[in-house]
Structure formats: C-alpha cells, structure tokens
Amino acid sequence: MQYKHDPLFPARFMWGASSAAWQVEGAVNEDGRTTAIIDLNSKKKQPYTDNSIAADHYHHFKEDVALMAECGFTSYRFSLSWPRIFPDDSGVPNELGLKFYNDLIDELVKNGIEPIVTLYHYDMPVWIDEKFNGWYGRGIIAEFDRYVRTCFQEFGNRVKYWLSINEQNMQICYGDWLGVSKNKETWFEDKWKVNHILNLCNAKAVIACHELVENGKIGPVPGYVPIYPASANPEDQIAAMNAEELTEKVWNDFYAHRKYNGFIKSYWRENKIDPDIRPGDMELIRKAKIDFFGLNCYRSNVAMACKITDTEREQELNKSGVKGNFIYPKFPGLYQLTNNPFVETNDWDWEIDPVALRYMLRYVWDHYQLPMMITENGFGGHDSVSSDGKVHDPERIAFLRDQIYQVGLAIQDGCEVIAYNPWSFTDLLSTGNGMSKRYGLVYINTTDEALLDLKRIPKDSFYWYANLIQSNGQNWGRSL
Ligand code: BG6
C-alpha cells in the first residue's frame, strides 16, 4: 500500500545501534580473557583481520556510551564474550570479565539506554573447541547452559532483552567463512548435525532466560536476505522458495514452531543426511518458546531455477571491496542466485535495497506473528577524515534514511516492530575486511595497517540519526 503521509513510529520505539564483542572490544588478552575461535579465524583470512585492538571499546566504553547518549539512543545491542566470562574449564566465572559487562550495563542504564544483549556472536572459547570438538560435540551444550545461566543471574536484573545466537543460519550456510566448519569435504552433511547442536543450545538459553530473568524476553537473530524470484516464470518462484527455505525459513520455522519443517525433513531424506536427533532433544526444544525475532538485514537476493543436470558452483563473496567480484552460487535441482538489475550495490557488491526491509518485516510478521527488532542493518564504506577534520558520509545517510523509512512503512502496514539498531555504533572490524569496510556512525581513528590514536569522531550520519531519533522518526532531513 502507498500512504499519503510519512509513517509514524510507536511512542516507546527503541532507537540505537549494534556491535559484537570480538569486533569492537579489543583487549583480547586482558583481565583474564582467553582466545576465541573467531580470533584465530580472523587471523587466517585473506585479507587479514586482527581483532586484538579493534575499536578498543574495552578501554573507551564510558566515552562510547556518552556518545550514544548524545545521539539520543534508547537502546544498544551488544554481545558478551564467552571467553571473557569463562576463560577456562574450571567452571568458575572470571570476576574481571563480569565486572566489565556490569560496568557497561550500569553506564547504559544510567544514561537511559536499554541494553539488548547477544549471548553468542561467534566467540566460542578455544578451550571449549579443544575439549569438546566445538559445535561438533555434545559437551558444549552443558557448558553453554552454564555460561548463559551465569549471564542471566549476573545481568538479568538490568537486562530484559536477550538475543540467543547471532545468525545461526549464516554460520551454517557460510561455515567455512565463519570458522564453524572443520572439514570442507564433509560439511554438506556435518552442517545439519552442527545445526542441531546449535538448536539445542538456543533452546537451553530460551528456557534458562524464562526461568532466571524476571520479565526477561529472548529471541534468536537470523541473518535475513530476502529472496525475490528472477521472473514470473513459476519455476523461478519455486527456486526462490527453495532458496528461502535453505537459507532462512528452515531456521525461522524451527524457532517459532519448535520442530523441523517438512521441507528440511524431505531434503535430508533425499540427500541421505542424518542430523543426529537423539531421544529427549525434541522435548527440550518444544519447551523453548521465543518471545520475539531479532533480525539482521543488509541486502537482498534474486533466485532462478537451476536444472538438476547443471554443475554446482560455490558462492564467492567479494573480499576486495572492488565492485564486480561477487560470484553467485548454483545448487542444481534447487536454485541459483543472480544479480538484481533494479538495485544499486555497494563496493562489496551488496545490494542496496531498502524495500527488502519492509518485505522481510511483512514476511516474518505474516508467518510468525511475533514482535520484531532490527538488530543489524547498515552501510559498509571506505570512510576517511576530510581536511576539515570531519567525516562526511552522505551515502550512509541516504542508506539509513531509505531503510528506516521502509521500517516505518512496515509498521504502518501493521507489523509489530519494537526497535531499530543499525550496524554499527562506532566503526569496528568487518568480518572479512577489518577497518577498511566501515559501518559506524562514529569514526574510529585507526587503520588495519597502523594503530593511530583511536579518537572518536562522530560522522555526519551520527548527527542526522540524532535528529531522526529526537523527532521519533519524523525528521528525515529532506523530502524523500
Ligand atoms: C552480520 C554479522 O552478518 O554482518 C556481523 O552479524 C557482521 O558480525 C555484519 O560484521 C557485516 O558483515 P561484514 O562482513 O561486512 O562485516
């Protein structure tokens, strides 16, 4: 529907931004923290990404929260580092790790900012990986339960919104890239066993949250890439639905309905895959009723039919930041992805598609009727400080304006959306391009090549967003 007026945001809508511990904190060897698998994964990647300092939020958190308050934030979504809280297998939490998060949460609360806390954003302690074979073994489930229970007990008096696992679907779909897969050759089958263990951990977190946090609410965070069919050819529509199942819907159905859907069961049968579901697993899962969906959305995809006789092609992300290097995958008998002539792309070939957000919110609301919060959305660019000492990021302002407007339209359409937290507050490390792909509303003065003074410089987008927040989504800066 087209409206004759700008959308209205609800009175208590939460406006903020987002981050993840391993990408923003730095201080990887300080105050007892031990190594996370993602620290090692980022080191072995090309281009190389070292997270030992990142935005050094660990030492600048008060300054960072003061800037959030200046921007008018009413929420901040961040993650806890598991190896900061449980650095070893003693079963005893690290007091200094807990202190860091207690101080950060206190600072947020003092400034009227609602903490929205992710329990797992890729930083499994290396000791867990070594002792239990990471996500491949069942030993991690009890350890994850211990970790999340400690977090709920320690922070649950101030944190009411919890996020269980960040982008479980992406960790499975991009297992190699995100360091989850241990063997590329067998990942096709292994991934469903790993996914089932992640599902059990998600269930543990949901159950424990409801048990331990008074008025606590918890939801998963799927990484969402809406998929359009390439044409009105009915086969392209089915291909788009296949892509939707195998990248998103299998997970979202599972979280909402607490059982595996018919599509994935048929896919497993067809491909002779055993996800290793054991007695008692589904009983546990059935008890884990989520309260809302956290949704990460940056871009959209286009799918078309792919004949079963065609040759498989792996997706290749554009890692260089030079346009034209993204390779679209082919999955014979299921779907293939292709480019979208109707949208622009950024330097990493990510589609800039604001309507994707409205589509996603409509889709998730229609399917699950649960409240939703945007936990990530944002523009990665090559930002720099200009000669006037400021950071001018008109592309990010245009991106955020167009995307947030679509969130407003989805609300107008009847969807229940409670928060918008774009990626990211300060610049932080991108998963594959370190500091050279910047997302922040606040510039961090450092580069991948040289450590600089880490000065915080609010970008033009910071001031634009502050005006929008102050008007509760009415002051768009110019007519759309
Ligand atoms: C999301 C992740 O998928 O995308 C973040 O939750 C990540 O951790 C973000 O940083 C942006 O992706 P990238 O690869 O540009 O850093």
Side-chain angles (χ1 to χ4, degrees), residues 20 22-23 77 121-122 166-167 170 177 296 298 350 376 423 428-432 437 439:
W22 73 275
Q23 291 167 282
R77 182 257 181 162
H121 199 128
Y122 311 161
N166 187 69
E167 297 199 356
M170 295 300 180
W177 175 245
N296 295 351
Y298 291 82
W350 288 25
E376 287 182 37
W423 190 261
L428 39 67
L429 298 175
S430 122
T431 53
K437 187 182 187 188
Y439 283 92

Side-chain angles (χ1 to χ4, degrees), residues 151-219:
C151 298
F152 295 141
Q153 271 155 346
E154 189 70 28
F155 313 125
N157 57 345
R158 286 151 296 156
V159 177
K160 299 300 170 189
Y161 288 101
W162 293 88
L163 303 163
S164 50
I165 293 174
N166 187 69
E167 297 199 356
Q168 183 181 331
N169 58 328
M170 295 300 180
Q171 292 182 68
I172 299 302
C173 295
Y174 298 99
D176 193 42
W177 175 245
L178 293 172
V180 184
S181 134
K182 289 173 186 282
N183 181 349
K184 222 175 157 196
E185 304 307 307
T186 55
W187 185 239
F188 177 75
E189 177 161 9
D190 293 345
K191 66 166 92 165
W192 297 109
K193 293 190 173 70
V194 166
N195 183 56
H196 184 61
I197 290 180
L198 277 152
N199 278 334
L200 291 166
C201 286
N202 179 70
K204 286 280 190 190
V206 174
I207 293 165
C209 178
H210 292 146
E211 216 175 284
L212 299 172
V213 182
E214 204 184 331
N215 299 322
K217 294 188 190 311
I218 185 162

